[in-house]
């Protein structure tokens, strides 16, 4: 993945359709979590954590050392401290817009042992907790064992102080960040008139990073969500051309996995309006 995507407005569709590959590239450690360009999400995120803590956080027995090391690393990067009265990973998640996912080796497989998931792209913390990389990637075409195995090897070979970054993207109906279940969004899109697409369609970009925790050997996986109204992007001719190409080049496996069928007519209408294509 190109370092150009690490700009203030990473738009990975400029590099083509979503791909089921590892796509990780190194970044400077100081660029890991700061500056947090999505800091406006912190207040509603913390409110969500206060009201839905059981829904957004999960952990397994034995994860506390890894949680604590991860929380200390996040707090140091932010120049802040975390509340010692809360589970460490949960408390550290209050400091950044990113979701935090702790992966540890369990019974020979990298396994999710704790996570705080406030901006999930259509899955929940309790669906992920306790699952291996292979199980987490099973829904992805070629994910188990192919992609899961490749990511597992990357995890196992991570060096201290190395931070790796990748981007993923999709299109969704609405600007909601907390989306553990996409069913209501897809139902709304299916029922909506075409003129609703201009305000409702958004490109959802995931900025993902991984880094090794030196003391415990765990891996901390972070996810930062950025949302862009598609109509605003299409107003730029170059972006409209790039998006149109990426959208049309996405193969059927991608479209089926992303469940884009409810959005197809809306995207086509916007492309017609903004890209000048029939």
């Amino acid at each position: 993945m190109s370092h150009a995507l690490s700009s203030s407005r990473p738009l990975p569709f400029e590099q083509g359709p979503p791909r089921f590959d590892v796509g990780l590239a190194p970044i400077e450690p100081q660029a890991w979590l700061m500056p947090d360009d999505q800091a406006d999400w912190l207040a509603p995120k913390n409110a969500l954590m206060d009201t839905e803590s059981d829904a957004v956080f999960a952990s397994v027995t034995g994860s506390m050392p890894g949680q604590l090391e991860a929380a200390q690393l996040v707090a140091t990067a932010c120049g802040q401290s975390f509340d010692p009265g809360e589970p460490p990973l949960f408390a550290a998640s209050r400091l950044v817009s990113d979701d935090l996912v702790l992966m540890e080796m369990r019974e020979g497989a990298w396994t999710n042992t704790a996570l705080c998931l406030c901006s999930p792209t259509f899955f929940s913390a309790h669906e992920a907790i306790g699952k291996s990389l292979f199980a987490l990637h099973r829904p992805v075409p070629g994910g188990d064992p192919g992609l899961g195995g490749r990511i597992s090897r990357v995890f196992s070979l991570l060096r201290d102080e190395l931070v790796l970054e990748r981007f993923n993207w999709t299109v969704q109906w609405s600007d909601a960040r907390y989306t553990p279940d996409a069913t209501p969004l897809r139902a709304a899109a299916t029922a909506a008139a075409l003129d609703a697409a201009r305000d409702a369609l958004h490109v959802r970009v995931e900025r993902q990073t991984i880094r090794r925790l030196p003391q415990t050997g765990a891996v901390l996986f972070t996810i930062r969500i950025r949302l862009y109204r598609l109509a605003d992007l299409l107003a730029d001719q170059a972006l409209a051309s790039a998006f149109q190409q990426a959208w049309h080049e996405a193969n059927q496996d991608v479209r089926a996995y992303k469940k884009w069928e409810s959005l197809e007519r809306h995207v086509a209408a916007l492309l017609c309006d903004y890209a000048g294509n029939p």
Side-chain angles (χ1 to χ4, degrees), residues 248-269:
H248 289 312
E249 287 182 355
N251 64 33
Q252 192 52 46
D253 281 351
V254 168
R255 310 185 95 78
Y257 173 69
K258 301 281 186 181
K259 294 184 171 61
W260 282 349
E261 64 271 11
S262 64
L263 305 177
E264 295 278 4
R265 64 190 178 96
H266 296 290
V267 172

Side-chain angles (χ1 to χ4, degrees), residues 1-230:
M1 190 64 68
S2 168
H3 287 286
L5 291 180
S6 298
S7 66
S8 60
R9 190 179 69 173
L11 296 170
F13 63 76
E14 292 183 281
Q15 308 300 308
R19 295 180 176 89
F20 303 126
D21 57 21
V22 178
L24 289 157
I27 61 171
E28 294 298 325
Q30 59 266 29
W32 177 41
L33 296 175
M34 294 289 131
D36 190 344
D37 67 315
Q38 299 298 300
D40 287 350
W41 169 236
L42 284 175
K45 178 184 181 181
N46 274 268
L48 177 65
M49 293 171 68
D50 289 339
T51 58
E52 301 289 343
S53 60
D54 290 341
V56 303
F57 178 75
S59 64
V60 302
T61 301
S63 66
M64 193 59 69
Q67 284 194 55
L68 185 58
E69 186 180 8
Q72 290 168 339
L73 194 64
V74 170
T76 298
C78 299
Q80 300 184 58
S81 58
F82 59 90
D83 184 349
E86 295 182 323
L89 200 73
F90 182 84
S93 191
R94 292 190 181 277
L95 306 180
V96 289
S97 64
D98 308 68
D99 285 340
L100 304 179
V101 181
L102 185 69
M103 303 295 295
E104 299 185 82
M105 187 62 74
R106 293 286 189 271
E107 298 181 0
W110 286 101
T111 301
N112 175 215
T113 60
L115 77 168
C116 187
L117 203 59
C118 296
S119 301
T121 304
F122 317 141
F123 70 104
S124 71
H126 290 278
E127 289 175 308
I129 192 66
K131 288 187 176 179
S132 70
L133 274 175
F134 297 99
L136 289 169
H137 289 88
R138 192 162 292 145
V140 179
D144 180 15
L147 181 58
R150 294 194 295 275
I151 297 175
S152 181
R153 287 191 290 275
V154 172
F155 278 27
S156 296
L157 295 172
L158 272 178
R159 305 188 310 274
D160 295 354
E161 302 304 322
L162 178 65
V163 182
L164 298 179
E165 175 188 68
R166 73 179 298 274
F167 292 87
N168 191 21
W169 68 277
T170 192
V171 179
Q172 73 173 46
W173 191 262
S174 93
D175 62 352
R177 287 178 182 260
Y178 182 58
T179 52
D181 181 5
T183 303
L185 302 185
R186 292 170 184 145
T190 298
L194 289 180
D195 59 6
R198 189 176 188 278
D199 290 327
L201 281 178
H202 285 73
V203 174
R204 184 184 183 104
V205 175
E206 287 188 351
R207 184 254 191 177
Q208 305 169 353
T209 75
I210 59 171
R211 69 181 303 173
R212 182 179 183 273
L213 305 181
Q215 297 173 17
T216 59
V219 169
L220 182 59
F221 175 60
T222 74
I223 309 166
R224 178 173 297 178
I225 296 297
R226 297 179 175 102
L227 288 162
Y228 305 95
R229 195 172 70 144
L230 180 57

